[in-house]
């Protein structure tokens, strides 16, 4: 391939014309129709949807796309997400234009979803055909080859055979002649058109004929919702319009995207590559969708019961999504890879999560501003006495109530503080050092230390330590002074950027010490004030509002302003200044999140909600998920949830990991680094591989026969932990050993050359390098043991629908004889998700089948959560290793 095809040519350049824009919109339209085909195939949207319902559906999609494009555009403008590929911009604007047109069309014209999909395919066919004719007659500058190629001809011939057979069997009444005759004629015809004409018309004409024919069949209702086709008397089954129409849409969208992409790239080698990549990406999406559909089957069976009574406020949902948006933003910031022309597709993949989350945030903001409620009403079935089914009404509800619970704020805000501080680095030694600021920094540290000693004294001795009534006399004034001092420091940090005649970039670089001391000092003083406020029971007020959260909110706004000003200044600053300004922006964001967390901690410690205008932080918030947050309710129509089973499953996995990971990693280190490689180590390797392939029921029998008699002679969660730990141990050992063996020998030799001992080499060099591989093995093992059922049936036959979760942490007691630590809770059986799913669905034990499927869905969520935590840890250590 020549270098001209490898370079990244601008797909939407300053010389772009209506031909380019039209094909961009067509590519976007093929993506829209492809996604709609997937949605209708899985019945997420009915093909019969029409009228107001269809118009509202496309308005909803439009809101999502506006939010997605808006958030990507904002961060692109701030140079946070480098969207350098112009084709991404073209397709993004095309998506916006297409959905505006579809929303307007459905609002003005009475159409069904099936008819609309057919019309969309027809429009694609017309535009692609027009593009081919424009190239054929020389109206646009393209570089077509003499033919579309043998591969394209064979592909169209095969597609023509299948389509011809389907059309002959369905529209011509069936029979051998209709099947084979139509297949041969259509197949040969498509192959001849593709191979016999120049590439531009040989590509677009077959595409237009195929996509247009499929669109007309759907739009005219020749194959509609009530259509049914039985292939033959020997086949027990039939194809319905509910399945065939989405499949036709998917086929037409994939073929149309290929033709439109080739036309947009000007045909030739570059056009073939662009069309192939776009087709591959759409097929990859379909494969992922098939994999997701396996999960979706469990979700479909259990989601209705699992989400009965689920309610969340829009503000709470935004708080939950904020860490995900930050992670998606970090993913989108990374470069797309090489400078090859298809790097734009990679860039699209990177910004897709950010765009999707941005669309959700836009919807939630719309609900907050408009005061509307988003609800999905449904019914679910419970079984009452005598195994009688009773249908209850419920809904999945997102309210416009602007209240968020302290737990959500603390977890989400704490994650953001950790994330931004980790990316912040350090500002020490940057800019001008000022003696007065250094003195303030020293005195702030001494003040915080002294006051924490006072807090400790109040906590131990009460409100009057050593007989001095400190809490009643100095508590309120100290809290107020600390809060005002923290506010002053945060305002000083913002003022250092606002005051002065030189540019913001210069002020930010020169006054980095003021920013650092102002934000960190403000956080420290306000944290001290919050803790002192709780211990001394002193809550200063400003009218009806508590002083501490009010000042924390103002300080959060000041820190956020610092982040915005420094991020905007970094766009046009030099490399040296830009690096410092980006650190200061991260510091400002960490400070803003930290001040919000302080406001939530105040509410959690004092029990008094904090409101600022319509927004408020409450003790519980608006999140309610009965299935996951409640125990089983034995009486009444409301069934409650499975919290005890979730807690039991988590403790089982944690206990197994605590038992297996140290032993497995330690054994891997010994066998790889210390043991002499010979027959003994080979025998151990064979034994561990055999143990890993041993059926899980055998481990269960081992636990029942060996562990239970030695652990109180009854089923217990400790027996379950150890049994699952023995199952996890072989995989941890195998993967850890392979990861350690993969560390290059040069690492060990270099460490030994420096005089480092073998253990120090293993601890400081080998093990950190092997840690990502070790974590991978742990992830795989935990994913297996978390869903094991057979061993738990034998060693821990917990009660179904338990009304109380096991309290492992609260069960620890210190005793005066060995083993000196005793925990009665570990010797009791508890509910677990795998056994509950088996008992309800497979064994028919008491419980609603719907509740069993819902438990399976929750189990899937728990396992995926363990996977997510493991993947994050592996990514963190891998990046840390690469960075170092």
């Amino acid at each position: 391939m020549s270098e001209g095809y490898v370079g990244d040519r601008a797909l939407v350049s300053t010389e772009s014309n209506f031909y380019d824009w039209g094909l961009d919109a067509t590519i976007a339209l093929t993506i829209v129709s492809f996604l709609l085909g997937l949605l209708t195939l899985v019945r997420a949207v009915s093909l019969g949807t029409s009228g107001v319902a269809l118009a509202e559906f496309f308005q909803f999609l439009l809101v999502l796309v506006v939010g997605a494009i808006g958030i990507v555009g904002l961060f692109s403008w701030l140079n946070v997400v480098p969207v350098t590929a112009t084709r991404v911009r073209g397709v993004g604007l095309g998506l916006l234009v297409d959905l505006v047109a579809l929303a307007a069309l459905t609002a003005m014209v009475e159409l069904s979803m099936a008819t609309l999909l057919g019309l969309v395919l027809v429009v694609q066919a017309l535009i692609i055909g027009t593009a081919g004719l424009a190239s054929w007659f020389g109206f646009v500058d393209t570089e077509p080859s003499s033919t579309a190629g043998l591969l394209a001809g064979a592909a169209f011939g095969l597609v023509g055979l299948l389509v011809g057979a389907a059309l002959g069997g369905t529209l011509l009444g069936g029979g051998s002649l209709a099947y084979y005759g139509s297949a041969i004629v259509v197949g040969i015809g498509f192959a001849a058109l593709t191979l016999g004409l120049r590439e531009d018309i040989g590509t677009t004409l077959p595409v237009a004929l195929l996509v247009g024919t499929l669109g007309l069949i759907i739009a005219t209702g020749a194959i509609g919702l009530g259509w049914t086709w039985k292939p033959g008397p020997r086949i027990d089954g039939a194809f319905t319009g509910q399945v065939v129409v989405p499949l036709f849409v998917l086929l037409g969208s994939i073929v149309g995207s290929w033709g439109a992409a080739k036309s947009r790239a000007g045909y030739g080698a570059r056009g073939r590559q662009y069309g192939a990549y776009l087709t591959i990406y759409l097929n990859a999406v379909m494969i992922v969708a098939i994999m997701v559909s396996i999960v979706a089957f469990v979700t479909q069976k259990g989601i209705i019961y699992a989400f009965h009574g689920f309610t969340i406020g829009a503000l709470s949902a935004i708080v939950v999504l904020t860490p995900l948006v930050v992670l998606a933003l970090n993913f989108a910031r990374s470069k797309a890879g090489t400078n090859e022309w298809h790097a734009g597709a990679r860039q699209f993949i990177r910004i897709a999560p950010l765009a999707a989350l941005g669309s959700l945030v836009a919807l939630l903001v719309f609900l907050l501003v408009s005061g509307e409620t988003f609800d999905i009403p449904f019914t679910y079935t419970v079984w009452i006495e005598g195994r009688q089914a009773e249908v209850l009404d419920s809904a999945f509800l997102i309210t416009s109530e602007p209240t968020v619970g302290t737990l959500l704020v603390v977890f989400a805000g704490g994650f953001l503080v950790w994330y931004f501080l980790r990316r912040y680095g350090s500002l020490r030694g940057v800019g001008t050092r000022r003696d007065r600021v250094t003195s303030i920094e020293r005195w702030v540290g001494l003040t915080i230390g002294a006051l924490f000693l006072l807090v400790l004294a109040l906590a131990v001795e009460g409100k009057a330590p050593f007989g001095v009534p400190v809490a009643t006399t100095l508590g309120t004034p100290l809290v107020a002074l600390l809060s005002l001092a923290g506010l002053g420091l945060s305002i000083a940090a913002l003022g250092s950027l606002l005051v002065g005649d030189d540019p913001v970039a210069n002020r930010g670089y020169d006054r980095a010490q003021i920013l650092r001391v102002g934000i960190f000092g403000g956080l420290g003083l306000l944290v001290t004030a919050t803790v002192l406020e709780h211990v001394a029971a002193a809550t200063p007020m400003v009218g009806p509002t508590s002083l501490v959260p009010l000042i924390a909110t103002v300080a959060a706004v000041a820190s956020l302003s610092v982040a915005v000003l420094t991020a905007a200044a970094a766009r046009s600053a030099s490399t040296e200044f830009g690096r410092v300004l980006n650190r200061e922006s991260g510091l400002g964001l960490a400070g803003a999140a930290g001040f919000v967390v302080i406001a939530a901690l105040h509410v959690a410690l004092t029990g008094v909600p904090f409101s600022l205008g319509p927004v408020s932080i409450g003790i519980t918030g608006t999140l309610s998920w009965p299935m996951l947050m409640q125990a089983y309710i034995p009486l009444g129509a409301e069934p409650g949830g499975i919290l005890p089973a979730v807690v039991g499953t988590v403790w089982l996995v944690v206990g197994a990991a605590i038992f297996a990971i140290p032993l497995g990693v330690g054994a891997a280190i010994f066998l790889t680094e210390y043991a002499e490689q010979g027959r003994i180590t080979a025998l151990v390797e064979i034994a561990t591989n055999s143990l890993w392939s041993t059926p899980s029921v055998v481990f269960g029998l081992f636990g029942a026969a060996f562990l239970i008699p030695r652990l109180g002679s009854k089923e217990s969660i400790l027996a379950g932990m150890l049994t699952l730990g023995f199952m996890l141990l072989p995989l941890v050992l195998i993967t850890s050993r392979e990861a350690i063996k993969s560390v290059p020998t040069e690492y060990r030799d270099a460490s030994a050359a420096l005089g480092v001992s073998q253990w120090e080499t293993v601890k400081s060099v080998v093990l950190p390098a092997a840690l990502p591989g070790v974590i991978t093995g742990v992830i795989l093992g935990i994913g297996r043991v978390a869903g094991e059922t057979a061993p738990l049936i034998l060693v821990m036959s917990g009660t179904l629908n338990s009304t109380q979760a096991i309290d492992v942490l609260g069960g620890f007691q210190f005793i005066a004889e060995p083993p000196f630590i005793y925990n009665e809770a570990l010797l009791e059986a508890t509910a677990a998700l795998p056994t509950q799913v088996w008992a309800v669905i497979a064994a028919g034990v008491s419980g609603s089948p719907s509740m069993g499927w819902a438990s399976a869905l929750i189990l899937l969520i728990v396992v995926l959560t363990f996977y997510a935590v493991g993947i994050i840890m592996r990514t963190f250590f891998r990046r840390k290793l690469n960075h170092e």
Side-chain angles (χ1 to χ4, degrees), residues 253-429:
S253 301
I254 292 175
V255 175
S257 67
W258 176 77
K262 285 192 67 176
S263 302
R264 184 61 184 86
Y267 307 103
R270 183 169 173 271
R272 287 193 290 273
Q273 287 185 356
Y274 188 26
Y277 271 100
L278 186 57
T279 304
I280 289 171
Y281 282 126
L282 289 180
N283 277 280
V285 171
M286 183 180 295
I287 293 173
V288 172
I290 294 173
M291 296 172 61
V292 170
S293 65
I294 299 174
V295 179
F297 174 75
V298 178
T299 304
Q300 180 187 8
K301 300 285 287 186
I303 192 170
I304 292 179
Y305 192 97
F307 282 89
H308 71 270
F310 182 91
T311 304
I312 188 171
L315 184 60
S316 298
I318 292 175
V319 171
V320 172
L321 290 178
T322 300
L324 299 179
V325 171
V326 172
L327 293 176
L329 179 61
N330 182 56
F331 179 69
R333 289 181 62 184
S334 55
K335 295 181 180 179
T338 65
N339 289 325
E340 296 177 1
W341 66 271
H342 59 274
R346 299 181 180 179
Q347 197 170 92
F348 173 79
I349 296 298
R350 293 188 180 276
I351 67 174
L354 179 63
L357 291 171
S359 64
L360 291 178
V361 173
L363 174 63
L364 296 170
V365 172
F366 170 76
L367 295 177
L368 276 175
V369 174
S370 64
E372 296 185 5
T373 298
F374 178 83
D375 64 323
I376 304 176
F378 59 88
T379 60
Y380 68 104
T381 304
V382 297
W383 285 22
I384 57 177
E385 295 182 4
R387 299 180 67 83
Q388 298 294 320
E390 181 176 346
V391 179
L392 301 176
D393 294 324
S394 187
F396 177 93
L397 187 63
I398 302 179
T399 67
S400 59
E401 184 178 354
T403 302
V404 60
T406 56
L407 194 61
L408 290 182
V409 176
V410 170
F411 274 105
F415 171 82
L416 294 179
V417 171
W418 169 82
Y419 176 84
F420 288 123
L421 285 181
R422 178 172 161 266
R423 299 185 63 86
Y424 150 71
S426 175
L427 289 176
R428 291 189 177 275

Side-chain angles (χ1 to χ4, degrees), residues 70 73 164 176 264 368 374 381 475 499 567 650 654 769 811 841 850:
S176 299
R264 184 61 184 86
L368 276 175
F374 178 83
T381 304
V499 178
V650 172
V654 170
I841 296 178
S850 300

